[in-house]
Amino acid sequence: MTRCVSLPLNSMPIPQLLLRGRPGFTLIETILYTLIVTMIFSSFLFIMQAAFSTQKKFKSHTLLQENMRFSIQKIESRTHAATAITFPTAGSTSTRLVFSMSESSKNPTIFELNNGLLLFSEGNASSTSLLTEDTTIREFIVAQVATTPPSIRITLTAQTTNGLSPPGAATTIQETISLRR
């Protein structure tokens, strides 16, 4: 025999009567769980975006360093192969470096700054840039510092133009190179 219990209608609200004994979440629990999951997901996205941004900045800085090292090595190799430094003269500075070479086809060998590009030419060949397109030279200063043996001091300041480095951030390399005779 089953027993039927009747409750007065005003003793318990109707939604509780309908959900009584049924498994599930209340509206407030659902909102709280959704809020917690959203916060965790947002934090994860923020961390990932910061990690990718740092990686891009590191790659940009590495590329800048590689470009500058390549430029200095190119100037150094041509300096060692040169017979004389034609320009700048002893005691002066310039944004242009001119060598006399033993091979007439490479005379003159020129490195110069032009509109943020470090250009290189040998003989009658056209000038080529020593840098990638996302690197700009802010300063290229050459000073002939000694005559015996002829030596030059190069100051090279560059920055990336890909927008990943902070505005105005630049890297400077200074190198002194002597002619080998």
Side-chain angles (χ1 to χ4, degrees):
M1 173 157 103
T2 60
R3 198 166 177 209
C4 204
V5 177
S6 67
L7 293 172
L9 288 176
N10 61 357
S11 68
M12 195 176 287
I14 293 177
Q16 284 184 355
L17 278 174
L18 295 175
L19 293 175
R20 192 174 196 194
R22 292 185 186 172
F25 299 109
T26 64
L27 179 61
I28 294 197
E29 288 175 325
T30 304
I31 291 172
L32 285 175
Y33 295 146
T34 304
L35 183 64
I36 290 170
V37 168
T38 303
M39 287 173 43
I40 291 171
F41 186 70
S42 299
S43 298
F44 176 75
L45 286 178
F46 177 74
I47 290 169
M48 292 305 294
Q49 187 245 356
F52 285 129
S53 175
T54 301
Q55 180 186 20
K56 285 182 181 179
K57 286 179 184 177
F58 179 75
K59 282 184 178 181
S60 175
H61 183 70
T62 302
L63 180 65
L64 177 63
Q65 290 289 327
E66 288 173 357
N67 274 310
M68 292 178 72
R69 269 191 233 110
F70 174 77
S71 298
I72 291 293
Q73 287 173 350
K74 188 79 157 182
I75 294 169
E76 189 172 14
S77 71
R78 293 309 186 266
T79 303
H80 292 322
T83 57
I85 300 169
T86 308
F87 193 77
T89 57
S92 65
T93 62
S94 178
T95 59
R96 187 172 193 205
L97 175 62
V98 182
F99 294 119
S100 292
M101 306 298 273
S102 58
E103 293 180 44
S104 61
S105 63
K106 295 183 178 183
N107 257 340
T109 297
I110 302 171
F111 294 90
E112 64 185 330
L113 178 62
N114 189 355
N115 294 325
L117 298 174
L118 183 57
L119 301 176
F120 165 70
S121 65
E122 288 183 312
N124 294 329
S126 61
S127 297
T128 58
S129 177
L130 293 177
L131 308 167
T132 58
E133 63 275 350
D134 56 352
T135 303
T136 301
I137 298 295
R138 288 177 42 186
E139 182 178 63
F140 176 65
I141 299 174
V142 182
Q144 188 169 350
V145 293
T147 54
T148 310
S151 301
I152 54 171
R153 182 183 316 112
I154 298 169
T155 304
L156 184 64
T157 303
Q159 72 181 34
T160 57
T161 56
N162 56 12
L164 296 176
S165 297
T171 302
T172 300
I173 293 178
Q174 192 170 48
E175 187 82 24
T176 301
I177 308 167
S178 298
L179 261 67
R180 292 186 183 166
R181 292 187 177 189

